Amino acid sequence: MPVSSVILNQRLARGCHRIWSGVPRQCVHVKSASIGSDEEQLWEAASALPFTRARIGSFFQERPELKNPFLEDALLRGYLRRHLPHQAVFSDLCAFGERVCKEVDGWGRECEVTPPRLVHFDPWGRRVDHIVTSPAWKRMKDLSAQEGLVAIGYERSYGEWSRVYQMSKLYIYSPSSGLYTCPLAMTDGAAKVIQSLGVSRPVEEAFSRLTSRQPESFWTSGQWMTERQGGSDVASGTETVAVPQTDGWYKLHGFKWFTSATDADMTLTLARVQDRTGATTPGSKGLSLFYAEVSRGEDGRLRGIEVQRLKDKLGTRQMPTAELLLDGLPAHRLSEEGRGVASIANMLTITRIHNSVSAAAAMRRVVHLARDYATRRTAFGKLLKDHPLHMQTLSRMEVESRGAFLLMMDVCRLLGREECGVATQLDSHLLRLLTPVVKLYTGKQAVAVVSECLESFGGQGYIEDTGLPGILRDAQVLSIWEGTTNVLSLDVLRCMARSSGMVVHAYFSHVKSLLAGASSVSSLAPAVKAVDSALSELEGFVQAAASRGPGYLQLSARDLAYSLARIYTGALFIDHACWEGASPSDTYAALRWCEQDLCPVSTNQRRGHYDSSTTPLDAALVFDCLR
Ligand code: UCC
């Protein structure tokens, strides 16, 4: 190659610094072809440059570092300092946070890259239906027992604050858990159902295993509710029948369309008891709640279960989700006949709260990583943290994450009070109303915040082995399972109607009492004013809507639930910022939260969104046949 070409290549190499890796390959070719000393000197000079030969340059972006999630979370520590100032709790959470970032987070990644698989047959053709999970998934089970991730809620060592302690631990753990929080949510829910129905034979042993700290005896539970006809409309969608046996047990026959974490040791499930003629009662009144163990016979086959296939999902790939044929599964009836939905409702309350913990935790995790990345990544001549627009974006996400945390923790507080027998009627009403509210609101927030946050890593946020895309995929399920946003919005209406409005009365009086405590804090005045006026609007809406038809209320259900969430969270922000140990960040976050439209249900009412004339227009728009 002529010397002039070499020089040209060098210029190209300089000009395309960092972006064009084609140049070095040509330089390699030059070296092998060089014969004269001039050319060798040129080669020496060229190889001192970046991107010469087959090099890829000297610049490598530093990865965001996961630090101890307990120590990094000022709001979590502040909240616990305020409500649960026990040295033992702080030491445990700090040690666990260290374990999560140093050890467990890697296992979570292992779960993601080694998803479960189903082995239907053994090498000799016998049906075995083995769900093979990764070693990391199994380690998660042992860790869950050792760390008391379910047990803490039942040991109640910290009385009414035990749930807050347990959920703080799960909040630290969740984003690194490889979705092991899903079986833990159902395990906790099953323990709660058993406890509320009475811990007696034959579920005594199951209860002690579900709440055990011993890895060798710890069990997880499934929650098999969803059938082909629908996951939401459980009352009419459940076809599984329970055939009574002479020993008092039942055999279940049916098909469960989504069963999560199917490697569980036991399950709670719904079925319709058959009478002597084989008939069953339709609807909700025909459903009973059953307990079944997942076990194998001497032939190695699952007793009464065939695993049809594993689901191919957008996210939660770390965890097996299966279709199951129940073909004579031995089961014990836990509820009275026909009280299945009411009896499993406790499980739904627990899993919905766990869902909110995971949602708040996902937001916290991405903001934590983005914050760290902003101190490492330089663009346009300075670190990301020195770009005001970038920091504005991160601070908005920080406010959302804090809001999700405060709302979620308050529901955990209420749950703890109820379980320890210290809940007032107001607390119980609030817990019933806020459980669907926190689940639906934080589930949606998580998808938005995680999606937004991936942008703050640039293209790296879209690269699979950074682990970041998996967080978004897993967040997407949070607004779907355990009741979609609309189903839960309707649950809000249902509990308002069933309590004859008591749940909203409790809501209004609690928010007012939180605001009253802040009336003299001038720095929070704009926030207090915003929440106060949104609350008046909401009260006005609820009073007026009562005289409208059910169709009107139904159309408002989603906005109503959002309003309940935003106003209540605003009051929690204010309350937390008033605490004597609060920081200026707490005040600033409260002010920011309260700047948004806190009462979208009034806003959209004024726009006529719930008027009956709007419904045909909405439908015509969707089908594009507006005239
Ligand atoms: O299984 C699934 C995936 C498992 C994965 C777990 C992940 C956990 C999170 C992990 C975090 C990482 S997903 C399953 C998803 N399916 C659902 O969530 C069901 C969604 N549908 C509903 O929630 C519906 O609203 C139904 C099924 C509850 C509605 O059924 P009914 O029969 O129409 O219900 P009714 O008639 O309204 O209520 C029947 C009884 C009433 O009690 P009584 O008879 O005493 O008046 C209600 O008060 O049940 C009571 N009840 C409730 N109680 C109904 N809902 C509730 C509730 N939410 N809380 C308390």
Side-chain angles (χ1 to χ4, degrees), residues 573-615:
F573 263 114
I574 290 167
D575 175 60
H576 190 72
C578 284
W579 165 54
E580 75 258 14
S583 69
S585 301
D586 294 320
T587 302
Y588 184 67
L591 293 168
R592 282 290 191 227
W593 177 271
C594 295
E595 282 163 358
Q596 66 184 310
D597 180 359
L598 293 173
C599 193
V601 75
S602 298
T603 310
N604 286 331
Q605 180 191 34
R606 287 193 289 275
R607 293 171 179 151
H609 283 201
Y610 321 130
D611 297 345
S612 54
S613 56
T614 306
T615 299

Side-chain angles (χ1 to χ4, degrees), residues 168-369:
S168 298
K169 231 171 157 176
L170 282 160
Y171 171 75
I172 289 171
Y173 174 56
S174 175
S176 299
S177 72
L179 248 288
Y180 209 79
T181 41
C182 171
L184 295 182
M186 296 186 292
T187 301
D188 196 348
K192 170 87 179 173
V193 167
I194 293 173
Q195 192 170 59
S196 61
L197 292 173
V199 185
S200 54
R201 285 169 67 92
V203 288
E204 227 169 5
E205 186 191 339
F207 180 78
S208 80
R209 286 178 176 274
L210 296 173
T211 56
S212 172
R213 279 184 183 258
Q214 306 307 319
E216 56 286 1
S217 46
F218 181 56
W219 271 7
T220 60
S221 175
Q223 170 196 330
W224 301 349
M225 281 180 72
T226 306
E227 302 199 6
R228 276 207 201 94
Q229 289 194 44
S232 297
D233 188 2
V234 174
S236 56
T238 303
E239 294 177 310
T240 299
V241 294
V243 183
Q245 306 295 298
T246 49
D247 60 359
W249 279 59
Y250 293 78
K251 286 209 166 159
L252 305 187
H253 298 266
F255 195 88
K256 298 290 174 181
W257 178 240
F258 275 102
T259 60
S260 297
T262 320
D263 59 333
D265 305 283
M266 58 158 276
T267 193
L268 297 189
T269 189
L270 296 172
R272 296 182 193 283
V273 176
Q274 270 188 351
D275 66 17
R276 285 207 180 102
T277 66
T280 56
T281 308
S284 193
K285 293 201 163 29
L287 289 174
S288 304
L289 178 64
F290 290 86
Y291 158 81
E293 287 174 19
V294 182
S295 61
R296 289 184 182 272
E298 279 174 11
D299 59 356
R301 293 193 60 173
L302 283 169
R303 275 201 190 91
I305 301 174
E306 275 188 14
V307 185
Q308 200 79 358
R309 61 173 168 161
L310 292 187
K311 296 289 198 184
D312 187 6
K313 298 165 290 177
L314 169 69
T316 71
R317 293 183 192 163
Q318 313 89 322
M319 164 187 92
T321 302
E323 292 173 17
L324 299 181
L325 174 70
L326 309 187
D327 193 11
L329 173 66
H332 165 73
R333 182 165 53 75
L334 265 186
S335 73
E336 284 172 35
E337 271 190 43
R339 296 291 296 160
V341 172
S343 304
I344 208 168
N346 265 323
M347 187 171 208
L348 295 179
T349 298
I350 296 293
T351 52
R352 286 169 184 174
I353 293 173
H354 275 256
N355 201 85
S356 322
V357 174
S358 288
M363 289 182 245
R364 171 53 56 212
R365 175 59 57 86
V366 286
V367 173
H368 170 152
L369 293 174

Side-chain angles (χ1 to χ4, degrees), residues 58-127:
S58 55
F59 175 78
F60 290 96
Q61 182 54 51
E62 274 187 70
R63 61 163 63 199
E65 190 190 335
L66 175 65
K67 298 179 184 140
N68 184 324
F70 177 64
L71 296 180
E72 286 292 301
D73 195 329
L75 182 59
L76 170 62
R77 282 184 293 114
Y79 186 90
L80 294 175
R81 249 196 352 269
R82 181 180 180 193
H83 297 293
L84 185 55
H86 282 270
Q87 187 51 45
V89 170
F90 275 69
S91 304
D92 183 47
L93 292 176
C94 187
F96 186 54
E98 206 56 24
R99 196 172 176 194
V100 164
C101 67
K102 297 274 158 56
E103 190 180 17
V104 180
D105 195 57
W107 302 352
R109 192 72 203 129
E110 211 179 309
C111 292
E112 174 84 26
V113 298
T114 326
R117 62 194 171 84
L118 173 62
V119 177
H120 263 143
F121 300 97
D122 78 2
W124 307 100
R126 288 186 187 83
R127 184 91 190 226

